[in-house]
Amino acid sequence: MRHVSPAMSDATTPATAAPAPVSMDNLVALAKRRGFIFQSSEIYGGFNGFFDYGPLGAELKKNIRDCWWADMVQRRDDVVGIETSIIMHPKVWEASGHVAGFSDPLVDCKVSKQRYRADQLFFSPVVITGADGVAQTVGYVSALESENTAGELQTAAESFKRKKAIQGTLSPVVAKDLTEAREEEIALIPSPATGEPGSLTAPRAFNMMFQTNVGAMTDGSSVAYLRPETAQGMFVDFKNVVDTGRVKLPFGIAQIGKSFRNEITPRNFIFRSREFEQMEMEYFIHEDADWSKVHEEWIAWCEAWLKSIGLPDSHLSRYAHPKQKLAFYSRGTVDIMFKYPFGVQELWGIAARGSYDLTQHANASGKPQEVFDEATKKKFVPHVIEPAVGVDRIFLAVLCAGYAEEAVTDEKGNTETRTVLRLSPRIAPVKVAVLPLLKNKEVLVARAQALYKKLQRRYAVFYDETAAIGRRYRRQDEIGTPWCVTIDFDTIEKPGDTFTLRDRDTMQQRRVTEAELFALLEEQVY
Ligand code: GAP
């Protein structure tokens, strides 16, 4: 009998050249092709700002949630988890300040009917110095926020000067966003939609909460809101948890759930959407505690957690909000930023919110939100540190960080391109693919099926007996499966009952026993 070694069928050497930058188009195409993410209501043309997660996406998303819950709640003695309702009493949102102030600055283009977020629409005066040495503003240019906003404004200014045939030296552009525009400037700034000035409105506050009506009446008395954050659930239930949960300061209350924001400009795939999922934790501390120390500890915890699910250090950075831009109650906010293909953007916000939220709810409800300090025999309102992150943003970050198209060379010297998703085994949607070398050899199939069924009790595994082994490996590379196990003739004929274990990243193969395979999974999938 001629035995085909699976090693012969797989390209073996990943190229060492630096990986090409990830293209969002390719990533979105992979997400669709392999069933990670679809547009919501796609058969009706899609629905802007809403997405569906397909079979692999749902699995990956669940793994992100499960890892966070395990590390944030189950493996800590000082954090408990809750699940609160999405629609809460409307007074919650009045007390929290969302009804009055949860808004983005909106600008309309009266001609095109396009709407923009004023803080994402940039402009600059076009300033030209003539032969007489006098600098004059001769017009305005605008550009939507991008990786290279200043560059785009500069190009637009040069084109403006050329088209108007204005002589003189062009000054470098000074980019400002539309919230900084003076009233008399608004009429002179061109709309990005039409390229012409005169159609943009002055920015106005646009409340991002989705309204609904609860009950049979649809008048003002029945107005309620879909929650724009999960956090308020933790504040409103603070006393319930204290009274029932045997918790003592410092402690945290965590929750994972959907939030809804009527974003003016949902964009960058799932980065900013109108329905998304948050994982938030409110960490309550003594009013006299060193909040900045606790704040720093949580920032470090969040960074370490992101690395534990596979995000590389090189893509992470911190952004401390300038003091003058903080909300009046906030003592400090640091965002963990991620280098997405479309720029460095907020991934996880860690805010020190003082006692603002509990105090607001105490005042609005008339129910004190205090705890008793045994040492001082005094009651006080705890302060809070809040790490708040979006599941979908983490999802996008792990796809971006893991995606690679690389040249691989087999032992015959043939080179091909493979697409690979380097997802951490912790979150990969499929942990192991079980592949009988040949589908028409009953002994191989039977052994593969037995292993598959055993693995399936504990892990998400995939069984595939179709196509050549090399193609099967490629399919698994593309969906981020860390290991493939091939049941070949050595498994059946040689002592030891070993399989070929093929590593997604190195493409190296080695023989392992069932016990070794389970030990590897036990160590890496936690
Ligand atoms: N409770 C505080 C809070 O909600 P936030 O900065 O507005 O703070 C926290 O949101 C996190 O939720 C963000 O860092 C981001 O990861 C995620 N997030 C916010 N808006 C989002 C949107 N429209 N789409 C996807 N994720 C979003």
Side-chain angles (χ1 to χ4, degrees):
M1 190 190 299
R2 168 126 172 74
H3 295 176
V4 183
S5 155
M8 299 296 286
S9 312
D10 191 22
T12 52
T13 340
T16 48
V22 178
S23 123
M24 277 305 285
D25 287 347
N26 291 353
L27 198 81
V28 172
L30 172 89
K32 167 89 202 276
R33 189 170 71 242
R34 300 311 309 266
F36 282 92
I37 300 172
F38 310 123
Q39 272 189 64
S40 165
S41 323
E42 197 178 304
I43 58 168
Y44 293 99
F47 201 36
N48 195 11
F50 298 90
F51 292 92
D52 294 342
Y53 288 80
L56 290 174
E59 203 72 41
L60 173 54
K61 205 169 176 215
K62 179 180 180 307
N63 292 343
I64 294 171
R65 280 195 296 258
D66 288 352
C67 283
W68 187 89
W69 191 262
D71 293 337
M72 176 63 93
V73 180
Q74 295 169 335
R75 292 171 184 155
R76 292 189 67 105
D77 298 329
D78 58 349
V79 178
V80 294
I82 60 170
E83 201 176 304
T84 67
S85 63
I86 286 175
I87 298 179
M88 302 165 82
H89 198 293
K91 283 192 175 155
V92 169
W93 306 109
E94 284 167 26
S96 66
H98 283 80
V99 171
F102 192 60
S103 54
D104 272 342
L106 170 74
V107 166
D108 283 297
C109 168
K110 287 178 282 186
V111 172
S112 69
K113 308 289 178 224
Q114 293 283 328
R115 302 189 129 181
Y116 303 100
R117 248 176 75 172
D119 56 346
Q120 292 172 354
L121 173 48
F122 285 80
F123 73 98
S124 171
V126 180
V127 179
I128 293 184
T129 306
D132 53 4
V134 178
Q136 264 192 323
T137 297
V138 295
Y140 283 80
V141 286
S142 65
L144 290 173
E145 185 182 38
S146 72
E147 267 272 75
N148 182 26
T149 314
E152 284 181 26
L153 285 173
Q154 191 65 42
T155 309
E158 282 157 16
S159 155
F160 181 95
K161 177 176 180 275
R162 226 178 9 258
K163 275 196 199 138
K164 303 263 176 197
I166 304 172
Q167 300 300 313
T169 311
L170 179 68
S171 298
V173 292
V174 180
K176 287 185 186 168
D177 74 53
L178 229 77
T179 61
E180 301 169 283
R182 295 194 309 275
E183 215 179 308
E184 64 275 18
E185 282 180 313
I186 304 261
L188 305 171
I189 297 168
S191 157
T194 63
E196 297 297 328
S199 64
L200 293 179
T201 61
R204 64 188 164 89
F206 173 79
N207 194 298
M208 289 195 288
M209 279 199 295
F210 281 104
Q211 270 193 25
T212 185
N213 292 88
V214 173
M217 305 294 284
T218 51
D219 59 11
S221 68
S222 64
V223 166
Y225 305 95
L226 303 194
R227 68 179 173 203
E229 61 171 24
T230 58
Q232 294 306 318
M234 275 80 92
F235 295 122
V236 169
D237 272 340
F238 172 74
K239 273 305 238 180
N240 279 337
V241 173
V242 168
D243 294 345
T244 59
R246 292 199 294 159
V247 286
K248 262 176 64 191
L249 288 183
F251 74 91
I253 310 180
Q255 137 156 265
I256 299 178
K258 289 267 181 147
S259 293
F260 303 82
R261 296 183 188 178
N262 196 2
E263 297 280 356
I264 298 168
T265 49
R267 60 182 183 160
N268 291 326
F269 199 28
I270 55 171
F271 177 81
R272 176 172 291 115
S273 46
R274 290 179 166 140
E275 173 178 337
F276 56 100
E277 208 164 353
Q278 288 187 306
M279 306 194 287
E280 299 196 277
M281 196 275 293
E282 308 300 327
Y283 198 70
F284 298 97
I285 56 176
H286 197 286
E287 61 176 349
D288 298 331
D290 180 352
W291 68 267
S292 62
K293 181 165 168 277
V294 184
H295 190 216
E296 172 54 40
E297 282 164 5
W298 275 109
I299 300 166
W301 187 95
C302 296
E303 287 168 333
W305 188 81
L306 289 172
K307 287 179 213 164
S308 84
I309 58 155
L311 292 186
D313 212 9
S314 57
H315 284 51
L316 299 172
S317 55
R318 287 185 185 190
Y319 170 72
H321 289 224
K323 287 257 176 307
Q324 66 276 15
K325 289 206 169 174
L326 291 174
F328 68 93
Y329 54 81
S330 174
R331 296 167 151 206
T333 298
V334 169
D335 291 338
I336 300 175
M337 312 293 283
F338 181 79
K339 203 193 317 165
Y340 291 97
F342 44 85
V344 175
Q345 297 281 345
E346 173 187 339
L347 175 58
W348 199 331
I350 301 106
R353 299 176 65 95
S355 61
Y356 171 76
D357 302 271
L358 288 183
T359 306
Q360 288 292 104
H361 289 304
N363 293 342
S365 66
K367 311 263 167 32
Q369 301 294 313
E370 298 165 326
V371 293
F372 184 70
D373 185 342
E374 292 290 348
T376 61
K377 306 291 178 210
K378 269 177 37 196
K379 286 181 176 173
F380 66 92
V381 182
H383 287 211
V384 79
I385 305 290
E386 176 194 74
V389 69
V391 183
D392 314 77
R393 281 205 189 166
I394 295 180
F395 191 111
L396 185 56
V398 297
L399 285 193
C400 294
Y403 183 93
E405 286 166 22
E406 57 184 28
V408 285
T409 313
D410 68 16
E411 51 283 305
K412 290 183 195 142
N414 301 322
T415 301
E416 60 165 322
T417 303
R418 75 161 180 160
T419 301
V420 57
L421 258 190
R422 291 203 168 86
L423 299 176
S424 154
R426 292 196 78 190
I427 57 168
V430 177
K431 309 300 179 195
V432 184
V434 179
L435 319 172
L437 183 60
L438 299 171
K439 73 170 173 188
N440 52 6
K441 289 286 172 217
E442 215 173 289
V443 276
L444 300 182
V445 170
R447 184 65 191 95
Q449 276 287 336
L451 177 66
Y452 171 60
K453 291 285 168 206
K454 200 163 172 187
L455 283 165
Q456 211 178 30
R457 283 189 229 146
R458 292 198 37 203
Y459 302 103
V461 282
F462 191 83
Y463 179 83
D464 188 5
E465 57 180 27
T466 62
I469 195 77
R471 272 200 53 205
R472 283 185 265 167
Y473 286 155
R474 292 286 171 279
R475 285 181 196 155
Q476 296 305 317
D477 289 344
E478 235 189 26
I479 63 167
T481 307
W483 301 285
C484 289
V485 174
T486 304
I487 286 67
D488 52 25
F489 289 100
D490 284 357
T491 313
I492 309 302
E493 292 168 359
K494 289 201 174 155
D497 187 32
T498 60
F499 324 110
T500 302
L501 180 82
R502 185 252 193 194
D503 182 283
R504 176 197 64 204
D505 299 341
T506 62
M507 294 193 286
Q508 295 299 305
Q509 303 184 8
R510 63 191 167 100
R511 296 205 74 84
V512 294
T513 61
E514 192 175 288
E516 284 165 343
L517 175 62
F518 272 91
L520 174 73
L521 288 166
E522 175 72 25
E523 187 204 314
Q524 303 266 337
V525 182
Y526 58 94

